[in-house]
Amino acid sequence: MKNSILVRDLCKQFPDFTLDHVSFQVPQGRIVGFIGENGAGKSTTINLILNELKRDSGAVELLGGDPADPAVRDRVGVVFDSCSFPAVLTPRDVEKILAGVYSTWDSSCFHEYLKRFSLPERRNIKTFSKGMKMKLSIASALAHRPKLLILDEATAGLDPVVRDEILDLLLDFIQDEEHAVFFSSHITSDIQKIADYVVLIHQGNIIFEEEKDALLDNYGILRCGKHTAVDPGDCIVRRETGVSVEYLVRDRAAAGRKYPQAVADAASLEDIMLFYIKGEPACGE
């Protein structure tokens, strides 16, 4: 399987934060969700991938090429968490500008998305709601026919209806299996709905890179009393509540059979992320 994004040992040092040998891939034809708490390094990683920040070391490939190559950047659509177009512009003004930026700009495609999203061509962007601004950003990113779409918190602050509409659009985007989406979000339910793979970053380090269905099918939360003995090899991390101990386990079914006195529940993507971030690093210690 070809990779639309390949990141290897990416490092960036700041006075108060270090992105430490980050590695992952985004396969062609797939949606990869990028999750982590605020300040974990998601936006820093994306800016390094896009060559907006200079990396200290490591390597990045976009669509098999150099992120700094204009021909590569022409085939990458980018959407951030806020609309970057000046408020005095209209969608028609935006088109005039971007048509001169992208050699692959497709005017008919842009207008199709404006119609689909019910965005008025001649109204100033300052009159748009947050959802309308985000739709305009996505329409602009898609109108130059990219092969790769990178989104950084693009659904943040949007109502569920608009978010659902955008998620459906991302699913449509990859249907031909030649496109790919790298989707950073702290809304794990959005990632859980559409992602094929999930990458978790915490304090500048990649914690895991897993297939989403495998995570949801196999991982679980083992809930038991504080005096229940659980083998360290059976769990990943642990978390204590007032009256019990909860363990994140990789094999929910096996844990349920081995510890019948405990409750083995399914784990959502949010559960898994919170356990890794807030749980104790070792089981039984």
Side-chain angles (χ1 to χ4, degrees):
M1 186 180 296
K2 293 182 179 179
N3 288 314
S4 295
I5 301 178
L6 183 62
V7 176
R8 287 288 176 262
D9 293 322
L10 191 60
C11 295
K12 181 67 178 180
Q13 178 77 48
F14 298 96
D16 57 351
F17 177 78
T18 300
L19 198 74
D20 189 13
H21 292 88
V22 164
S23 298
F24 61 86
Q25 57 192 1
V26 176
Q28 181 178 300
R30 300 292 185 265
I31 297 177
V32 174
F34 194 35
I35 63 173
E37 76 276 22
N38 290 337
K42 299 191 299 296
S43 293
T44 297
T45 300
I46 287 176
N47 283 321
L48 289 167
I49 288 173
L50 294 172
N51 207 42
E52 298 296 326
L53 283 176
K54 183 178 180 181
R55 58 186 180 269
D56 294 338
S57 60
V60 176
E61 288 184 13
L62 287 184
L63 301 171
D66 186 341
D69 184 346
V72 172
R73 296 181 70 90
D74 237 15
R75 295 181 291 151
V76 179
V78 182
V79 182
F80 292 106
D81 61 344
S82 60
C83 182
S84 60
F85 303 124
V88 296
L89 298 183
T90 67
R92 179 163 288 193
D93 296 328
V94 169
E95 180 189 8
K96 291 177 182 178
I97 294 170
L98 296 183
V101 174
Y102 294 105
S103 62
T104 54
W105 182 262
D106 187 332
S107 180
S108 63
C109 177
F110 181 68
H111 285 278
E112 285 174 10
Y113 279 116
L114 292 185
K115 184 177 180 180
R116 176 174 175 174
F117 292 147
S118 300
L119 295 176
E121 296 182 21
R122 299 179 183 276
R123 268 178 56 185
N124 291 337
I125 295 173
K126 65 183 177 183
T127 68
F128 285 11
S129 66
K130 183 175 177 62
M132 293 170 70
K133 291 176 181 177
M134 187 52 59
K135 289 177 180 180
L136 176 60
S137 296
I138 291 175
S140 302
L142 291 174
H144 64 93
R145 301 291 186 182
K147 291 290 187 180
L148 169 65
L149 194 58
I150 298 176
L151 303 100
D152 188 9
E153 301 290 356
T155 57
L158 302 180
D159 67 62
V161 174
V162 174
R163 279 173 36 220
D164 194 64
E165 190 175 356
I166 290 172
L167 298 181
D168 285 343
L169 185 66
L170 299 183
L171 289 170
D172 290 342
F173 180 72
I174 62 155
Q175 287 307 304
D176 64 0
E177 299 190 355
E178 293 185 357
H179 298 80
V181 174
F182 184 52
F183 182 23
S184 166
S185 179
H186 68 273
I187 306 175
T188 54
S189 60
D190 287 352
I191 301 295
Q192 185 164 325
K193 180 176 180 180
I194 66 168
D196 298 294
Y197 296 90
V198 179
V199 178
L200 171 62
I201 187 170
H202 173 52
Q203 295 180 347
N205 294 273
I206 298 298
I207 304 301
F208 66 67
E209 178 183 8
E210 298 272 4
E211 188 177 358
K212 182 201 67 179
D213 288 345
L215 283 171
L216 300 179
D217 290 344
N218 299 324
Y219 276 55
I221 302 170
L222 189 68
R223 308 179 195 274
C224 51
K226 289 188 175 183
H227 301 295
T228 301
V230 175
D231 293 339
D234 291 337
C235 66
I236 306 168
V237 289
R238 69 195 295 270
R239 189 171 63 182
E240 287 199 24
T241 66
V243 296
S244 65
V245 182
E246 299 176 343
Y247 300 93
L248 182 67
V249 296
R250 285 192 176 88
D251 191 331
R252 179 173 74 250
R257 291 191 297 269
K258 186 171 181 177
Y259 304 101
Q261 74 277 26
V263 176
D265 290 330
S268 68
L269 201 52
E270 182 173 332
D271 291 329
I272 295 169
M273 183 182 79
L274 290 176
F275 261 93
Y276 271 107
I277 292 173
K278 293 187 175 182
E280 298 177 23
C283 181
E285 294 184 358

